[in-house]
């Protein structure tokens, strides 16, 4: 048990809270936009301290922190718990909540109701949904019309990866790439403020970019997009295996965590922990009285 109170991260006074106009300005100026996922208070604090522009509470939480093998099982209740924790750890980044599978496809009303929950119950400033087909485009339009900014997501859309043939790069034929481009343009026309391009050839992303007036964030889509996003656990190595080829790993925290817990376990077993420095003292006279009282206890 820790007695340390959870405090809000002090805001860097020089950094402005990120807004949609500021993001659009970054695109106009050609300044790369940094986005990362976060799922709890510590990951949010790390993103905030790094001064990233956008934080996504991704439904990748299903695999990264909840241990599922895909993103489909996670629901709105799970996502809202995580999003609220992330909200508490952020000062300036724009917070985007990922609408989980099954929470927006059924009707425009369902989509707007779910999006409103992310805004009202978790303090998200925008939501993200997957897919560039007619259903996703209609839902994006409905949510935008309700006054909530929407980020689209095309290419590899993990929620529907079964239908896409698995977790693999998309848009590798002319026809498939054209469908992705059409989806991106339709989401843009529906009023999305930004869109994620995931796991598509860099040349395809590059060819679509001149048609995109909204912010494009890439993940495995090459260097031509306006910004990049990576999954927190992938970039910090909090996972088994290397992950997708587009991941650049900046740390090996899983190894460090494993080593830390193993060292603790070893210390306890060998009676090296706790030491005197980890304990609390008591006045000698109080201890003596206590021992006397103990002797009386039946
Ligand atoms: O859920 C997620 O983490 C995402 C990003 C990979 C964009 O959708």
């Amino acid at each position: 048990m820790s007695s340390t109170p959870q405090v809000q991260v002090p805001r860097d006074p020089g950094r402005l809270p990120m807004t949609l106009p500021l993001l659009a300005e970054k695109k106009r100026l050609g300044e790369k936009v940094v986005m990362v996922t976060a799922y709890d208070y510590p990951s949010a604090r790390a993103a905030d301290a790094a001064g990233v522009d956008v934080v996504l509470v991704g439904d990748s939480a299903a695999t990264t922190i909840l241990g599922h093998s895909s993103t489909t099982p996670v629901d709105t209740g799970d996502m809202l718990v995580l999003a609220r924790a992330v909200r508490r750890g952020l000062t300036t980044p724009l917070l985007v909540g990922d609408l989980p599978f099954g929470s927006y496809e059924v009707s425009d009303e369902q989509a707007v109701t779910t999006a409103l929950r992310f805004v009202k119950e978790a303090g998200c400033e925008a939501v993200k949904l997957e897919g560039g087909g007619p259903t996703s485009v209609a839902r994006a339009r409905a949510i935008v019309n309700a006054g909530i900014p929407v980020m689209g997501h095309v290419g590899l859309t993990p929620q529907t990866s079964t239908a896409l043939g698995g977790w693999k790069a998309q848009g590798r034929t002319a026809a498939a790439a054209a469908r992705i481009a059409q989806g991106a343009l339709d989401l843009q026309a529906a009023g999305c403020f930004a869109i994620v391009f995931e796991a598509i050839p860099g040349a395809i992303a590059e060819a679509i970019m001149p048609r995109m007036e909204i912010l494009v964030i890439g993940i495995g889509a090459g260097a031509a997009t306006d910004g990049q996003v990576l999954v927190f656990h992938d970039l910090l190595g909090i996972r088994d295996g290397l992950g997708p080829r587009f991941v650049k790993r900046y740390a090996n925290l899983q190894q460090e965590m494993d080593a830390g817990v193993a060292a603790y376990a070893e210390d306890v077993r060998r009676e090296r922990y706790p030491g005197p420095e980890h304990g609390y003292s008591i006045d000698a006279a109080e201890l003596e009285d206590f021992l006397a009282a103990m002797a009386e206890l039946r």
Side-chain angles (χ1 to χ4, degrees):
M1 185 194 74
S2 162
S3 59
T4 311
Q6 295 276 293
V7 290
Q8 289 290 322
V9 187
R11 176 181 294 168
D12 173 349
R15 206 189 311 140
L16 291 173
M18 189 46 68
T19 59
L20 302 194
L22 280 177
L23 285 173
E25 182 67 357
K26 273 181 164 278
K27 177 179 173 91
R28 198 184 63 78
L29 295 173
E31 282 177 22
K32 292 288 182 187
V33 169
V34 183
M35 175 164 139
V36 69
T37 67
Y39 312 104
D40 55 14
Y41 184 76
S43 54
R45 288 190 59 174
D48 197 84
V52 308
D53 302 302
V54 182
V55 167
L56 170 70
V57 185
D59 67 348
S60 49
T63 55
T64 55
I65 65 162
L66 297 178
H68 296 293
S69 58
S70 78
T71 58
T72 53
V74 78
D75 66 19
T76 302
D78 298 328
M79 292 297 294
L80 289 174
V81 170
L82 306 178
R84 282 195 287 268
V86 171
R87 174 77 283 165
R88 291 190 279 271
L90 296 184
T91 59
T92 58
L94 189 92
L95 179 59
V96 181
D98 214 0
L99 302 185
F101 187 57
S103 74
Y104 60 93
E105 298 88 340
V106 176
S107 65
D108 287 355
E109 192 183 333
Q110 185 207 26
V112 173
T113 302
T114 307
L116 284 169
R117 292 192 68 191
F118 276 78
V119 174
K120 289 170 77 80
E121 297 178 34
C124 290
E125 283 137 339
V127 295
K128 179 170 87 55
L129 54 72
E130 291 189 6
T135 300
S136 296
V137 171
R139 303 298 174 257
R141 185 178 294 109
I143 298 170
V144 170
N145 286 341
I148 300 171
V150 177
M151 177 180 280
H153 184 159
V154 295
L156 174 57
T157 46
Q159 292 175 4
T160 46
S161 60
T162 308
L164 295 176
W167 281 65
K168 57 180 194 183
Q170 301 295 309
R172 300 182 88 175
T173 64
R179 278 195 298 277
I180 290 168
Q182 188 62 63
L185 292 172
D186 291 348
L187 287 163
Q188 173 166 268
C192 288
F193 77 97
I195 188 163
V196 170
F197 285 1
E198 178 165 354
I200 61 173
I204 298 300
E206 204 178 327
I208 304 173
M209 281 309 288
R211 304 284 298 276
M212 300 307 297
E213 291 157 21
I214 61 173
L215 189 70
V216 179
I217 306 288
I219 173 165
T225 55
D226 300 308
Q228 297 291 328
V229 57
L230 277 179
V231 165
F232 188 86
H233 287 53
D234 287 345
L235 81 93
L236 293 178
I238 313 174
R239 57 167 299 145
D240 298 326
L242 288 173
R245 65 174 287 158
F246 55 72
V247 172
K248 181 169 177 186
R249 185 170 281 193
Y250 293 85
N252 259 315
L253 297 193
Q254 186 67 54
Q255 266 178 23
E256 289 209 31
M257 289 196 293
D258 292 354
V261 177
Y264 158 69
E266 193 60 8
D267 270 4
V268 172
R269 290 185 189 114
R270 292 178 180 270
E271 300 186 32
R272 289 190 301 235
Y273 173 83
E277 70 277 26
H278 303 117
Y280 301 97
S281 63
I282 182 171
D283 181 78
E286 293 294 337
L287 181 59
E288 206 170 303
D289 289 353
F290 167 71
L291 295 175
M294 272 296 285
E296 301 298 315
L297 288 182
R298 292 288 168 259

